[in-house]
DNA sequence: CCGTATCCATTCCGATACTG
DNA sequence: CAGTATCGGAATGGATACGG
């Protein structure tokens, strides 16, 4: 057992990490978000071992984040596309990128950035309450609810 | 080497994961966000081995996400508090929780939820462009910039 | 109460060889 | 190109014992 499972945790954050917290998983999703679909392209982009990529893709498919679709070029292989559940990881990726971009790069270092296609400006991820007001971590309260 | 390091990656997401992608790290931050500060309280909440907690806290302190402060009860020990850098992981946590809450709980299951203290309603994390318009994953474009 | 040190089983990753 | 199979080394996480 690598670590205790969080599958039964009441905390959605813990369950999320249990599902996509493994090394590579979110990076595969990131690549998929920017259009990568083929096995070899993931491998080239991420430079991870093929067996590991294979395992991760299978797991992502199994938990409904990605799906296999017939290759668009007519070849006999699969392509891997995000499902709706996978696309909705976009805010997670952007939040991670925003934080990393702020704190993990030195001046003068190059970095990748995701931009709004139309305006050419960066995305920002922000927290809102139901009224659309922007909130900070000081405004939070923790409760238990039932679905 | 458990996996390749992303420390030198151009991608902020990869660097973020390199920093806080280990098991437990983000859950420790989550606990800290809701007010946990003491070693034993982290341990009780997370039920992880003490040596692992110790290692993680050290690493979080080393990379500037948490800081040790003298215990508020006058005892000889430390408490662990988030730095600004740590607080700014809040959107990451909320995004993960939002996704997990949407997709990883069955009907009737209890789950934890973070609410806006004043309104008692849930937070939401959303993506905006510079004009404040809400965006989706279809609007993205990838570029390289220099700090 | 707050950790550190040690030990062990697990498993995880990367490399490589191989198949269709 | 798209994987699968196998292997060895490394590192991790949990348990536990110990010490301040």
């Amino acid at each position: 057992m690598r670590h205790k499972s969080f599958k039964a945790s009441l905390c959605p954050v813990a369950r999320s990490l249990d599902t996509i917290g493994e090394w590579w998983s979110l990076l595969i999703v990131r690549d998929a978000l920017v259009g990568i679909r083929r096995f070899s392209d993931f491998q080239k982009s991420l430079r991870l071992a093929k067996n590991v990529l294979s395992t991760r893709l299978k797991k992502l498919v199994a938990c409904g984040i990605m799906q296999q679709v017939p290759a668009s070029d007519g070849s006999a292989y699969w392509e891997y596309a995000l499902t709706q559940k996978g696309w909705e990881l976009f805010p997670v990726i952007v939040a991670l990128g925003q934080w990393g971009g702020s704190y993990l790069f030195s001046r003068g270092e190059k970095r990748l950035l995701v931009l709004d296609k139309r305006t050419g400006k960066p995305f920002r991820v922000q927290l809102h309450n139901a009224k659309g007001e922007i909130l900070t971590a000081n405004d939070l309260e923790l409760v238990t609810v039932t679905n």
Side-chain angles (χ1 to χ4, degrees), chain A:
Chain A
M1 184 173 43
R2 175 150 112 266
H3 67 90
K4 289 175 180 150
S5 172
F6 308 133
K7 286 223 182 333
S9 170
L10 292 185
C11 173
V13 178
R15 288 205 193 180
S16 292
L17 291 174
D18 211 71
T19 305
I20 43 138
E22 281 183 314
W23 295 113
W24 300 117
S25 294
L26 271 175
L27 293 177
I28 292 171
V29 173
R30 173 206 62 178
D31 275 3
L33 279 168
V34 296
I36 292 184
R37 300 170 63 88
R38 297 291 284 247
F39 189 92
S40 64
D41 292 329
F42 284 111
Q43 211 211 339
K44 262 178 276 184
S45 167
L46 298 168
R47 298 211 217 134
L48 78 176
K50 292 206 245 181
N51 54 352
V52 177
L53 176 57
S54 177
T55 305
R56 287 293 180 282
L57 285 172
K58 268 191 199 124
K59 199 173 290 191
L60 289 169
V61 169
C63 71
I65 290 172
M66 302 190 81
Q67 57 190 316
Q68 289 177 301
V69 298
S72 49
D73 62 357
S75 63
Y77 306 119
W78 297 108
E79 294 184 355
Y80 298 87
L82 292 168
T83 60
Q84 177 67 19
K85 182 174 175 180
W87 280 104
E88 293 200 12
L89 282 168
F90 190 46
V92 175
I93 306 271
V94 173
L96 277 168
Q98 185 169 301
W99 184 81
S102 298
Y103 286 108
L104 304 177
F105 285 77
S106 320
R107 246 196 149 29
E109 264 191 305
K110 281 186 185 163
R111 70 177 205 266
L112 294 174
L113 195 56
V114 181
L115 299 183
D116 175 10
K117 217 180 276 180
R118 292 166 307 165
T119 66
K121 304 260 172 127
F123 280 79
R124 293 206 34 93
V125 59
Q126 277 172 336
L127 301 170
H128 296 261
N129 64 13
K131 295 178 186 162
E133 297 165 335
I134 294 175
L135 300 177
T136 74
N138 293 319
D139 301 315
L140 91 184
E141 177 187 26
L142 197 63
V143 297
T144 311
V145 298
T146 304
N147 271 11

